[in-house]
Amino acid sequence: MTAQSDPLEADRALKARHRAMWALGDYPAVAAEIIPDLGAILVEACGVGRGDRVLDVAAGSGNAAIPAALAGASVVAGDLTPELLEVGRAAAARRGAVIEWREADAEALPYADGEFDTVMSCVGVMFAPHHQAGAGEIVRVCRPGGTIGLLNWTPEGFIGQMFATMKPFAPPPPPGAQPPPLWGSEGHVRALLGDAVTDVVARRRTVTIDRFAHPGAFVDYFKANYGPTVAVYRALAGDPGRVAELDHALTELARGHLQGEEKAVMEWEYLLLTARKRD
């Protein structure tokens, strides 16, 4: 059996590529500078409080895990990319947040069934390639009656459109991998969670982004800092013409979303969904 025909070896190779992609650029800067409030929004929606046992899936550098810990919860933050966990440890220490950091694959969580009162993910699990596997693990490790909370970019929103814009320029995804922004579709997430949950509440919201004064500033920032964007540009490095095409496509996308005359802002749409695991 070749490595290509061995499903386990193929999955390990895929996860290694994902790990390397998120180590590119500076995702902790994106989380801290561009979307610093999203984690706290998710924590509040989940009703996290003192003494709760909380798991942050695909936690990155702790955008949601840190506010959960500061709310008094006992928090475990797991992520596939150790470089992000290291940044998270330092950030948590600076803020006095006590968190257990652990390298973990969202599709094969190293935790017991029903171990957590709340299982949440803030624009994290959406990037695991096999959606049903990720959703199944989130449900499995949540206790009966516990809370599941998910915050993900919608397909129709700016980040969803950014991924659609980059897709023709990126290497083809491996068989079975699903587009991340599908996690921002209420129907898709409801189907993933199925009858394992009840009391589903789904809301589309936007976060105001005022970091970028003009479209080129957005493109330059994401080319330097956002792992998926960095990876696409690296794949095009030997083709200046295609690089220029992607520059233009992303610039036009940003131009269509920037609003305001005195201060340029964008509204990025996300889906905030909470549910209770069925008893």
Side-chain angles (χ1 to χ4, degrees):
M1 179 180 288
T2 66
Q4 288 77 13
S5 61
D6 180 348
L8 291 177
E9 184 62 31
D11 187 66
R12 281 193 289 267
L14 174 60
K15 299 301 171 58
R17 291 196 296 273
H18 273 245
R19 186 180 295 111
M21 178 183 72
W22 287 105
L24 296 172
D26 189 352
Y27 182 73
V30 176
E33 298 171 0
I34 309 301
I35 51 170
D37 298 328
L38 288 191
I41 288 170
L42 178 59
V43 168
E44 181 179 5
C46 290
V48 171
R50 187 164 302 279
D52 289 344
R53 177 78 167 157
V54 175
L55 174 64
D56 187 6
V57 178
S61 51
N63 201 28
I66 292 173
L70 293 176
S74 172
V75 181
V76 178
D79 197 273
L80 193 64
T81 304
E83 291 88 344
L84 300 183
L85 297 176
E86 285 301 314
V87 175
R89 284 190 185 96
R94 287 194 300 270
R95 298 182 62 182
V98 178
I99 296 170
E100 177 187 340
W101 301 88
R102 185 169 180 182
E103 190 172 337
D105 180 353
E107 297 179 2
L109 295 172
Y111 314 113
D113 294 359
E115 185 171 342
F116 298 94
D117 300 304
T118 296
V119 182
M120 61 183 184
S121 186
C122 183
V123 294
V125 71
M126 66 182 292
F127 294 103
H130 307 110
H131 294 187
Q132 192 61 67
E137 284 294 270
I138 285 173
V139 171
R140 180 184 66 80
V141 302
C142 185
R143 68 165 174 82
T147 299
I148 291 169
L150 303 166
L151 191 157
N152 295 305
W153 303 119
T154 67
E156 301 84 4
F158 179 79
I159 296 295
Q161 291 184 38
M162 184 191 75
F163 276 96
T165 299
M166 294 193 300
K167 183 178 180 180
F169 299 89
Q178 295 174 279
L182 280 178
W183 276 89
S185 168
E186 180 182 347
H188 182 69
V189 180
R190 283 180 177 271
L192 292 174
L193 299 176
D195 61 6
V197 302
T198 185
D199 300 336
V200 176
V201 177
R203 293 150 285 184
R204 284 180 178 245
R205 295 182 175 178
T206 61
V207 56
T208 300
I209 308 298
D210 60 4
R211 168 86 184 198
F212 309 112
H214 55 85
F218 159 77
V219 176
D220 290 344
Y221 186 92
F222 266 59
K223 284 173 69 171
N225 294 293
Y226 192 60
T229 307
V230 177
V232 173
Y233 273 98
R234 286 197 176 188
L236 299 175
D239 190 339
R242 291 288 281 167
V243 169
E245 289 179 25
L246 181 53
D247 280 343
H248 177 74
L250 290 176
T251 299
E252 290 306 301
L253 175 67
R255 192 186 313 280
H257 283 261
L258 279 168
Q259 309 167 19
E261 296 182 3
E262 294 186 5
K263 187 173 185 180
V265 299
M266 288 192 278
E267 299 290 336
W268 294 1
E269 186 182 62
Y270 60 88
L271 178 74
L272 177 62
L273 183 144
T274 58
R276 183 175 65 84
K277 182 175 175 178
R278 197 175 295 275
D279 293 324

